[in-house]
Amino acid sequence: MILFFVVAIVLPRLPVLFTAIGEKGGPIKPLEIEVTSFSVKSINMSGLRGTIYFKVHNPNIIPAVIDRITYNIYDEDGNLLAEGEIPRSYTVPIQSTITIQNDISVGWTGAFHIIKNKIESWFTGEKDTWMVEGIIYVNVGPTTFDIPFSTKFEV
């Protein structure tokens, strides 16, 4: 009986549920992601190492299982500062928020822009704005959905 319910009722409706991800009024809403901070841990011969902190909110009535997150960090001039991946799985409970931190290595090209922009901000008093763009890979049963995101934050 339960197998019939799953096969006959639930499975045919899954495409409808998940093709509406991100659409206004859709049954499943996309996860909300923002960067809350970035801290420099060390500077060495290959660049700098830091930690980036993401806040992920699940507005849905079902838990969200994040398979991984890939992202790129840009300064406000569009210079690529760093690329990163959070390769492990996280579960975001129903209508809850979690914080995910990830250590990241920034090569000297990106580190140069970070240092230059920080020095400029000391003289102007303005904060530097970074853009983080990426993809959250969310598992729902046997299927993984790629949900792109883009968020700005001040450093």
Side-chain angles (χ1 to χ4, degrees):
M1 179 67 164
I2 292 175
L3 181 60
F4 171 78
F5 176 77
V6 170
V7 172
I9 307 294
V10 175
L11 286 180
R13 287 176 174 64
L14 278 178
V16 173
L17 287 174
F18 291 102
T19 55
I21 287 179
E23 290 181 15
K24 190 169 184 151
I28 303 292
K29 297 180 181 106
L31 298 178
E32 299 161 6
I33 186 166
E34 67 178 285
V35 176
T36 57
S37 67
F38 176 82
S39 61
V40 175
K41 292 172 113 178
S42 65
I43 299 175
N44 57 36
M45 296 301 285
S46 61
L48 63 86
R49 291 198 45 79
T51 303
I52 189 166
Y53 296 86
F54 292 92
K55 188 185 295 183
V56 181
H57 177 70
N58 177 12
N60 298 297
I61 58 171
I62 58 171
V65 178
I66 298 171
D67 179 57
R68 69 188 183 283
I69 301 172
T70 59
Y71 59 92
N72 295 327
I73 304 171
Y74 302 92
D75 68 10
E76 55 194 9
D77 297 324
N79 298 305
L80 178 64
L81 302 177
E83 300 172 316
E85 179 175 8
I86 301 171
R88 62 174 279 227
S89 180
Y90 291 89
T91 298
V92 187
I94 298 168
Q95 298 178 337
S96 297
T97 302
I98 65 169
T99 299
I100 300 171
Q101 70 181 48
N102 189 50
D103 290 337
I104 186 168
S105 295
V106 180
W108 273 114
T109 302
F112 167 77
H113 289 291
I114 291 171
I115 293 167
K116 177 183 82 69
N117 293 345
K118 186 50 101 176
I119 291 171
E120 287 176 1
S121 71
W122 288 337
F123 289 111
T124 64
E126 297 176 5
K127 292 190 173 192
D128 192 20
T129 302
W130 289 359
M131 171 70 75
V132 179
E133 297 177 341
I135 299 174
I136 303 175
Y137 298 88
V138 180
N139 290 338
V140 178
T143 306
T144 301
F145 294 93
D146 307 354
I147 303 172
F149 71 90
S150 179
T151 183
K152 290 183 178 182
F153 78 106
E154 293 182 339
V155 289

